[in-house]
Amino acid sequence: MISPSACTTGLLPISSRSAISLVGRMIGTSGDVIGRYERGDITPSIEVVSKISDALEVSIDYLIGKPKMELDKQALKRLEDISMLPEENKKFILNLIDMALRDFKVKKAHNA
């Protein structure tokens, strides 16, 4: 379900009537129904929420107003690819990421 708070706080990336109509067509329904979801008049099924998230290329968490961060499809694909690697390779890549993040945080702290 798309939370009413997600809609009223502008979390949904749908703003114009034509965009709402387009999303409706992309998931096989009307723009009017999408608008009713946005306003909280009706609650979509999980299947509909999944279709909307796919159409908008955002996570379901984003749609329901729970994101701490948004991962695009490319970032998610990279994480999936890393998870499929042999353990030794996975550890190597994760260590590189950890080092880069640590360096970034140190630089940020010194510039603050």
Side-chain angles (χ1 to χ4, degrees):
M1 70 194 97
I2 301 173
S3 72
S5 63
C7 301
T8 58
T9 58
L11 290 175
L12 292 179
I14 305 173
S15 57
S16 72
R17 189 152 180 79
S18 61
I20 290 170
S21 184
L22 175 62
V23 171
R25 286 193 307 273
M26 290 170 74
I27 68 161
T29 191
S30 71
D32 291 338
V33 171
I34 299 296
R36 292 180 70 198
Y37 293 150
E38 261 197 310
R39 291 187 301 278
D41 295 343
I42 58 175
T43 303
S45 67
I46 190 65
E47 291 83 13
V48 171
V49 173
S50 179
K51 286 180 184 180
I52 293 170
S53 91
D54 288 345
L56 298 176
E57 297 185 359
V58 297
S59 69
I60 290 174
D61 279 350
Y62 183 81
L63 286 179
I64 62 173
K66 292 186 177 182
K68 295 268 186 209
M69 66 176 181
E70 179 60 33
L71 294 176
D72 60 31
K73 287 191 177 206
Q74 185 179 18
L76 288 173
K77 175 70 174 123
R78 285 179 172 157
L79 291 174
E80 288 174 5
D81 290 346
I82 291 170
S83 73
M84 304 289 270
L85 292 172
E87 196 60 34
E88 185 177 325
N89 297 68
K90 190 184 329 182
K91 283 182 180 180
F92 178 78
I93 290 174
L94 293 175
N95 283 333
L96 287 175
I97 292 170
D98 289 342
M99 287 188 304
L101 290 172
R102 184 192 64 228
D103 290 351
F104 173 77
K105 289 175 184 177
V106 168
K107 286 178 185 176
K108 186 177 177 183
H110 285 302
N111 291 333

